[in-house]
């Protein structure tokens, strides 16, 4: 108020000078006077201005009237005639926004009654401050509002008029808005807020400006209002990944549902504008089946098996989308770490099977390749053979190995190999695998047939059937098939001048020797055959074995009586001196048997005698001796029927008759006529004489021959073969006489009373002891041992002999 008063006083001074006493044409007066002047302030001297007499004013009851009920603002000083302010004059109250505000008062005088109009032109004083309706103007502006957007601002109100009204507006300095002020028709000034720079909610969510309105008064007055701008969000921000490239490594054996990685993206926007969803973009189907992406959390999980060997790196494009579709991208690189999950694989590239058994050590029989799908150390593979086989692996180029032999192969020992190759890698833990390959060894004909025995000997009974089997030889050949198939042959040779094939044949397949003919022990006692065994290989291999065939004796010859001549042809009569005493030798039966051994062991028996008990015969010697002295009563002629039996099974026997004449004189011979049991013809005596002479002659001849033969034999053993008459005396036993060309005996054959082989040694011994017992003491016995093993020459048999002194028979 003091302000007002002060200004009012100043105005009063100013206006006094400028008050225009604008007298109206008649009786009216006008004044210009500022509002809000102090009560009592002088507006003008009405009396003077109206030409009224001041002194009369009071008399004339000068006063100010208002028209109607209007308020009386002025008073007149009747003493001075001055018009003063009686009431506060507020132009704004009186006239509002009217530019011309005239306060009409009336001066009334009486005596005479006069009325004068007083017009007081109230002049505005800047007494009002611009004011806004509200304290705060609120705006909500979307951040997408473009530059230049205008926002109309509320006007400030100033009751003053003219220049005292609001003349300008201003706002704080700020980076986003400017103020555009313009005047409307009617002179009102209004302003707009102009967006000068786009808003960014994310930077500044709200801003506060002060708008100032200034009027044109002196001094000016101003009013302010706060403009509060709230920036509304617009989806103007794409999501932003925390990294543009995510890198992660993952072992290939990671289990399903492993969390690989979580991507994150932020969106500066609010609400749905800031809600981020993740998804794969441009991901192959296989990749998207291997990995899952949680759209909300951005968590990448493992949903499929990983295999480093198939794919070692995955590159996934991930897209983040906010609520209104703004997207951004990030790359996820997943490196798969190798795990030793692949065992080495062994591949047999080449295998030379079968391998010939004569392959030299170091021969390559196969090529092996090992592979491991892993990488680095997990891929390094070692290959080996654990068994003890004659093979080894030799590393070749890269992952190749040669399988070579390390030693000799022998199909006959090991015909096939199962070679197990083990490969292990260097991973930790290492993996290994193995493979067994089957290698067989091919045969080479490297084994000759081998006979089961060093030599064979076979025993065959004589008189065998032709075709009967003699023995069987067998040879083994371990080679394969035809290389081991054995065929038997006889090696061509001669047996006593005839080809061996005329004696035996062999079955080439079975090795069974067959007799081709019936053997006769008396002709051939043994022979040797060489059998060849040959395999069918090419070239064939062969070996041989000797087979000794021994022919054994059968009792197929009956004893032959050499002396006396066989019954019916004998006319020989032995003379027995009458003085012959008991025990004296009378005669001797000589018999032979072509067989040998037991079969040739002869025994002599008395079958019938004229005078039983007079004569006895040595069972083994065949010697007829006196059993007792001859008595006078004994008949002169004595006949003895004797039998000679061999020891074979069954035994064979022959009988003969010995005629004895007990007489001291040959002159008694004619009596012999009566001797014949058979009452033979008168010629008997004659024949007997002839026989006696013949026998004597024969003995003589025989001795000569024996001597000759022995002599010749010493010189040339073959003589025994060649000689037409070859009965060596040296061979005869003591109780045998030898007769040239007798009976069935072949001249070229020599008897052997004693078997020459060792197998018959027992027989031999028996006879020896027997001989020792029965032989007279003056007899000398000489044995000559021949080589029994010598089977090559049959003449050798003749050497095995006992030589008896010729004197024995005399
Ligand atoms: C090799 O293996 C085969 C089949 O598994 C078997 O029949 C044969 O007897 C084996 N050979 C050797 C020498 O082990
Ligand atoms: C027999 O051996 C020969 C080499 O000596 C060989 O070539 C052949 O294959 C063998 N035969 C069989 C059936 O193994
Ligand atoms: C029999 O074998 C021996 C040695 O094994 C040999 O020296 C000989 O020549 C062979 N004989 C024949 C007839 O093959």
């Amino acid at each position: 108020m003091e302000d007002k008063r002060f200004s009012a006083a100043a105005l009063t001074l100013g206006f006094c000078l400028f008050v225009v006493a604008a007298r109206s044409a008649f009786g009216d007066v006008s004044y210009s006077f500022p509002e809000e002047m102090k009560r009592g302030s002088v507006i003008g001297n009405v009396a003077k201005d109206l030409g009224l007499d001041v002194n009369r004013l009071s008399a004339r009851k000068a006063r100010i009237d208002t028209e109607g009920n209007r308020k009386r603002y002025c008073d007149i000083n009747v003493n001075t005639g001055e018009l003063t302010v009686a009431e506060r004059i507020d132009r704004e109250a009186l006239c509002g926004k009217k530019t011309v505000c005239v306060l009409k008062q009336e001066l009334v005088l009486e005596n005479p009654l006069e009325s004068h109009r007083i017009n007081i032109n109230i002049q505005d004083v800047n007494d009002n401050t611009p004011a806004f309706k509200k304290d705060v103007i609120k705006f909500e502006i979307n951040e997408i509002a473009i530059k230049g957007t205008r926002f109309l601002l509320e006007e400030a109100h100033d009751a003053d008029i003219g220049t005292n009204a609001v003349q300008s507006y201003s706002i704080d300095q700020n980076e986003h808005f400017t103020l555009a002020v313009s005047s409307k028709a009617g002179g009102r000034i209004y302003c707009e807020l102009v967006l000068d720079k786009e808003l960014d909610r994310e930077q500044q969510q709200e801003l506060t400006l002060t708008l100032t309105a200034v009027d044109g008064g002196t001094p000016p007055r101003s009013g302010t209002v706060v403009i509060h701008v709230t920036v509304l969000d617009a989806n103007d921000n794409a999501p932003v990944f925390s990294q543009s490239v995510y890198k992660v490594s993952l072992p290939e054996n990671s289990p399903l549902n492993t969390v690989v990685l979580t991507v994150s993206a932020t969106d500066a926007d609010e609400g749905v504008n800031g809600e981020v969803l993740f998804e794969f973009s441009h991901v192959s189907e296989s990749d998207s089946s291997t990995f899952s992406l949680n759209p909300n959390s951005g968590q990448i999980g493992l949903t499929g098996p990983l295999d480093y060997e198939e794919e070692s790196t995955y590159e996934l494009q991930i897209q983040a989308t906010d609520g209104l579709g703004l997207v951004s991208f990030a790359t996820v690189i997943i490196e798969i770490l190798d795990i030793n999950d692949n065992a080495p694989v062994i591949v047999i590239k080449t295998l030379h099977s079968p391998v010939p058994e004569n392959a030299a050590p170091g021969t390559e029989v196969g090529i092996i390749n090992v592979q491991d799908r892993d990488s680095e150390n997990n891929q390094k593979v070692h290959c080996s053979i654990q068994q003890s086989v004659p093979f080894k692996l030799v590393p070749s180029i890269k992952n190749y190995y040669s399988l070579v032999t390390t030693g000799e192969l022998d199909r006959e020992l090991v015909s096939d190999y199962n070679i197990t190759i083990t490969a292990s890698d260097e991973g930790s833990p290492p993996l290994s695998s193995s493979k067994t390959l089957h290698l067989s060894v091919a045969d080479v004909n490297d084994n000759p047939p081998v006979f089961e025995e060093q030599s064979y000997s076979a025993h065959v009974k004589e008189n065998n059937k032709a075709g009967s089997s003699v023995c069987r030889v067998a040879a083994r050949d371990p080679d394969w098939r035809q290389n081991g198939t054995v065929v038997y042959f006889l090696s061509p040779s001669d047996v006593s001048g005839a080809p061996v094939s005329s004696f035996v044949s062999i079955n080439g397949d079975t090795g069974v020797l067959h007799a081709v003919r019936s053997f006769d022990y008396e002709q051939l006692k043994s022979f040797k055959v060489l059998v060849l065994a040959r395999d069918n290989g090419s070239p064939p291999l062969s070996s041989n074995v000797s087979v000794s065939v021994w022919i054994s004796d059968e009792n197929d010859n009956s004893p032959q009586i050499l002396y006396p001549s066989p019954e019916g042809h004998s006319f020989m009569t032995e003379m027995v001196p009458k003085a012959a005493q008991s025990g004296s030798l009378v005669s001797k039966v000589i018999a032979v048997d072509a067989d040998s051994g037991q079969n040739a062991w002869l025994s002599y028996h008395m079958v019938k005698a004229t005078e039983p008990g007079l004569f006895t015969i040595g069972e083994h010697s065949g010697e007829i001796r006196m059993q007792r002295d001859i008595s006078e009563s004994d008949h002169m002629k004595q006949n003895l029927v004797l039998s000679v039996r061999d020891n074979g099974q069954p035994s064979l026997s022959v009988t003969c008759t010995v005629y004895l004449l007990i007489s001291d004189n040959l002159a008694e011979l004619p009596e012999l006529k009566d001797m014949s049991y058979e009452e033979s013809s008168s010629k008997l005596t004659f024949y007997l004489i002839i026989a006696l002479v013949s026998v004597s002659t024969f003995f003589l001849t025989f001795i000569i021959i024996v001597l000759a033969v022995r002599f010749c034999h010493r010189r040339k053993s073959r003589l025994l073969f060649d000689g037409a008459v070859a009965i060596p005396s040296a061979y005869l036993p003591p109780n045998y006489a030898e007769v040239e060309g007798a009976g069935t005996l072949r001249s070229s054959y020599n008897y052997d009373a004693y078997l020459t082989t060792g197998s018959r040694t027992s027989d031999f011994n028996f006879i020896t002891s027997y001989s020792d017992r029965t032989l007279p003491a003056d007899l000398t016995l000489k044995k000559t041992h021949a080589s029994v093993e010598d089977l090559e020459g049959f003449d050798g048999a003749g050497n095995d002999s006992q030589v008896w002194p010729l004197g024995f028979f005399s």
Side-chain angles (χ1 to χ4, degrees):
M1 277 309 268
E2 265 186 356
D3 242 11
K4 268 189 167 176
R5 243 181 250 138
F6 166 76
S7 57
L11 282 171
T12 309
L13 279 175
F15 274 104
C16 285
L17 294 173
F18 291 103
V19 162
V20 180
R23 233 169 265 212
S24 60
F26 185 72
D28 290 354
V29 68
S30 292
Y31 296 100
S32 272
F33 194 74
E35 58 172 336
E36 307 282 1
M37 293 303 285
K38 261 196 283 186
R39 224 169 267 147
S41 297
V42 177
I43 298 167
N45 198 324
V46 183
K48 206 198 258 172
D49 292 339
L50 287 172
L52 299 173
D53 182 8
V54 177
N55 301 320
R56 292 210 35 195
L57 284 178
S58 150
R60 292 186 69 180
K61 292 185 183 175
R63 61 177 186 273
I64 298 295
D65 274 347
T66 52
E67 282 171 18
N69 286 336
R70 286 201 186 142
K71 211 173 177 181
R72 192 168 57 85
Y73 289 98
C74 299
D75 260 337
I76 185 150
N77 188 337
V78 288
N79 298 321
T80 60
E82 282 175 333
L83 190 71
T84 60
V85 175
E87 199 68 31
R88 177 183 166 234
I89 301 166
D90 184 5
R91 193 200 68 84
E92 283 76 27
L94 289 173
C95 302
K97 277 292 174 185
K98 285 182 196 149
T99 50
V100 179
C101 183
V102 179
L103 184 64
K104 289 177 179 156
Q105 304 281 298
E106 209 165 357
L107 177 66
V108 179
L109 298 168
E110 290 175 13
N111 272 337
L113 183 65
E114 268 177 67
S115 162
H116 297 277
R117 185 177 293 185
I118 301 167
N119 292 329
I120 301 169
N121 192 2
I122 306 295
Q123 288 178 331
D124 186 41
V125 167
N126 192 21
D127 58 350
N128 285 290
T129 304
F132 291 94
K133 207 156 67 188
K134 298 175 199 161
D135 293 336
V136 177
I137 301 171
K138 287 187 175 170
F139 276 113
E140 288 189 343
I141 302 174
N142 195 301
E143 59 181 328
I144 55 168
I146 55 163
K147 183 178 172 178
T149 308
R150 287 169 177 252
F151 305 92
L152 187 62
L153 292 172
E154 187 186 326
E155 288 171 55
H157 177 77
D158 192 330
D160 296 325
I161 55 160
T163 55
N164 289 336
V166 174
Q167 294 301 314
S168 66
Y169 291 93
S170 66
I171 52 166
D172 311 344
Q173 189 65 39
N174 74 87
E175 50 179 332
H176 291 286
F177 294 101
T178 55
L179 207 59
V181 183
S182 46
S183 50
K184 273 186 190 164
R188 283 176 58 199
I189 293 174
Y190 68 97
C191 62
E192 286 168 319
L193 204 53
V194 179
L195 188 61
D196 191 37
K197 183 185 166 217
E198 282 86 352
L199 293 167
D200 185 355
R201 190 200 66 81
E202 289 69 36
Q203 224 173 43
Q204 201 174 7
Q205 284 201 7
E206 54 189 29
L207 43 99
T208 309
L209 303 170
T210 309
L211 176 68
T212 308
V214 182
D215 62 19
T218 310
R221 287 171 169 265
S222 63
T224 58
V225 69
V226 171
I227 300 172
H228 187 98
V229 178
T230 303
V231 183
L232 293 182
D233 185 47
N235 189 26
D236 57 347
N237 283 286
V240 177
F241 279 99
S242 57
Q243 284 168 254
S244 62
V245 176
Y246 295 87
K247 267 192 185 169
V248 71
S249 45
L250 196 63
E252 59 176 324
N253 61 350
S254 300
L256 291 188
N257 301 324
T258 302
V259 175
V260 179
L261 168 78
T262 303
V263 295
S264 64
T266 50
D267 190 307
D269 295 327
E270 281 186 318
V272 287
N273 293 340
E275 275 172 17
V276 179
L277 289 182
F278 299 96
E279 61 184 317
F280 287 125
S281 75
H282 313 297
V283 169
S284 71
E285 224 167 81
S286 68
D287 287 2
S288 63
S289 67
T290 308
F291 296 102
S292 66
L293 178 59
N294 184 315
N296 297 312
S297 65
Q299 179 174 299
I300 298 176
L302 185 64
T303 52
L306 295 175
D307 189 355
Y308 173 86
E309 288 71 35
E310 259 171 31
E311 199 154 0
S312 61
T313 314
Y314 290 88
E315 204 172 308
L316 308 171
Q317 287 292 331
I318 291 179
Q319 166 182 333
T321 313
D322 65 17
L324 290 177
L326 284 181
V327 294
S328 62
F329 300 94
T331 306
V332 173
I333 296 171
I334 300 171
E335 281 184 1
I336 308 301
L337 301 179
D338 185 38
I339 296 291
N340 193 21
D341 59 347
N342 286 286
V345 176
I346 301 168
V347 182
I348 295 162
K349 293 288 185 190
T350 321
L351 186 63
H352 304 292
S353 179
V355 190
E357 57 180 324
N358 61 356
T363 306
E364 183 181 85
V365 296
I367 294 171
I368 278 109
N369 177 239
V370 286
Q371 292 155 4
D372 194 303
R373 297 181 64 218
D374 294 320
S375 60
E376 309 212 331
N377 273 356
N378 296 341
Q379 193 183 28
K380 287 185 187 156
V381 179
H382 298 280
C383 229
S384 62
I385 296 173
Q386 306 292 348
Q387 305 149 292
S388 59
V389 287
F391 298 95
K392 67 174 177 184
L393 286 172
V394 177
S396 183
I397 50 163
K398 249 172 75 185
N399 291 329
Y400 285 86
Y401 291 85
S402 295
L403 181 66
V404 298
T405 59
T406 57
E408 305 279 349
L409 303 177
D410 188 353
R411 192 202 65 83
E412 285 72 37
L413 283 178
V414 185
S415 65
D416 56 352
Y417 291 93
N418 285 338
I419 304 168
T420 302
I421 296 170
T422 308
S424 56
D425 60 26
E426 285 186 3
S428 74
L431 291 177
S432 65
S433 65
S434 60
K435 184 149 198 157
T436 299
L437 52 90
H438 185 85
L439 194 69
S440 49
V441 181
D443 187 45
V444 167
N445 191 22
D446 55 353
N447 288 287
V450 175
F451 282 98
E452 286 171 352
E453 314 263 333
Q454 294 266 314
S455 63
Y456 291 83
S457 59
H459 297 276
V460 190
K461 282 192 174 169
E462 62 176 333
N463 303 322
N464 59 303
K465 282 186 198 153
S468 62
S469 73
V470 174
C471 77
R472 181 168 187 267
V473 296
R476 301 254 169 272
D477 188 328
D479 287 325
W480 183 245
R481 297 259 164 89
Q482 69 257 36
N483 290 342
T485 306
V486 180
V487 181
Y488 302 92
F489 301 94
L490 285 182
S491 171
S493 63
D494 282 358
V495 173
S496 54
V500 73
S501 57
S502 63
F503 289 85
V504 286
S505 66
I506 192 163
N507 183 319
D509 297 331
T510 60
V512 175
L513 277 167
H514 295 278
V516 171
R517 56 158 91 159
S518 178
F519 298 127
D520 185 358
Y521 174 82
E522 286 72 33
Q523 278 184 43
L524 185 61
K525 291 186 174 56
S526 71
F527 58 92
K528 263 193 172 183
V529 180
L530 198 62
V531 175
L532 294 179
R534 199 178 66 196
D535 61 29
N536 272 339
S538 102
L541 296 174
S542 64
S543 61
N544 61 54
V545 74
S546 77
V547 180
S548 304
V549 181
W550 301 95
I551 297 157
S552 57
D553 188 41
E554 270 194 336
N555 195 21
D556 59 345
N557 290 289
S558 37
Q560 296 284 322
I561 294 173
L562 303 180
Y563 178 82
S565 295
E567 204 179 351
H569 303 284
S570 170
F571 303 100
M572 286 179 286
T573 302
E574 289 286 344
M575 298 281 285
V576 180
K578 284 185 179 145
Q581 295 188 338
S582 152
S584 59
L585 182 63
V586 174
S587 183
K588 180 170 167 53
V589 177
I590 296 173
V592 290
D593 194 308
D595 296 319
S596 64
Q598 297 272 334
N599 295 337
W601 183 21
L602 303 182
S603 60
Y604 303 86
H605 307 276
M606 187 93 66
V607 176
K608 189 177 166 189
T610 311
E611 185 72 46
L614 183 58
F615 299 97
T616 179
I617 186 159
E619 194 187 351
H620 299 294
S621 61
E623 287 169 344
I624 301 166
R625 289 174 188 271
M626 301 298 294
Q627 201 168 16
R628 60 174 170 82
D629 294 348
I630 296 170
S631 66
E632 286 303 322
S633 60
D634 290 331
H635 202 279
M636 197 181 163
K637 291 175 275 181
Q638 296 283 338
N639 293 347
L640 302 174
V641 178
L642 302 171
S643 87
V644 179
R645 208 157 57 209
D646 64 23
N647 201 26
Q649 285 292 335
S651 70
L652 299 173
S653 66
V654 67
T655 58
C656 67
T657 307
V658 175
Y659 302 99
L660 298 172
L661 185 65
I662 302 171
S663 167
D664 289 332
N665 195 344
L666 266 177
E668 293 173 77
L669 272 177
E671 293 176 38
L672 287 174
K673 284 179 185 173
D674 308 327
M675 282 177 74
S676 171
Y677 274 67
E678 283 92 352
E679 303 184 14
S680 53
S681 68
S682 57
K683 295 176 193 172
L684 182 65
T685 309
F686 175 71
Y687 286 135
L688 275 173
I689 291 165
I690 291 172
L692 203 60
V693 171
S694 333
V695 167
S696 308
T697 314
F698 173 75
F699 271 125
L700 208 63
T701 316
F702 176 70
I703 287 161
I704 292 164
I705 289 168
V706 166
L707 281 174
V709 166
R710 290 207 60 175
F711 178 73
C712 289
H713 178 73
R714 278 183 192 156
R715 231 184 40 212
K716 182 184 173 190
S717 61
R718 287 208 54 180
L719 181 69
L720 283 167
F721 256 29
D722 296 338
V725 179
I727 303 172
S729 62
Y731 195 58
L732 285 172
N735 49 352
Y736 281 12
E738 291 180 358
V739 177
E740 183 185 344
T744 60
L745 298 183
R746 271 174 55 166
S747 61
S748 62
Y749 198 70
N750 60 328
Y751 293 112
D752 186 357
Y754 301 101
L755 290 172
T756 55
T757 63
S759 64
R760 301 294 172 93
T761 308
S762 58
D763 293 342
F764 182 87
N765 289 339
F766 168 72
I767 289 166
T768 304
S769 61
Y770 159 73
S771 301
D772 286 345
R773 182 167 58 82
T774 55
L775 285 177
D778 61 329
L779 293 178
T780 58
L781 174 67
K782 190 178 120 196
K783 293 181 185 175
T784 306
H785 290 278
S787 163
V788 294
E789 289 84 7
D790 186 5
L791 292 159
E792 297 296 333
F794 291 92
D795 50 351
N799 291 333
D800 187 23
S801 55
Q802 287 177 311
V803 178
W804 302 91
L806 290 169
F808 171 75
F809 291 108
S810 60

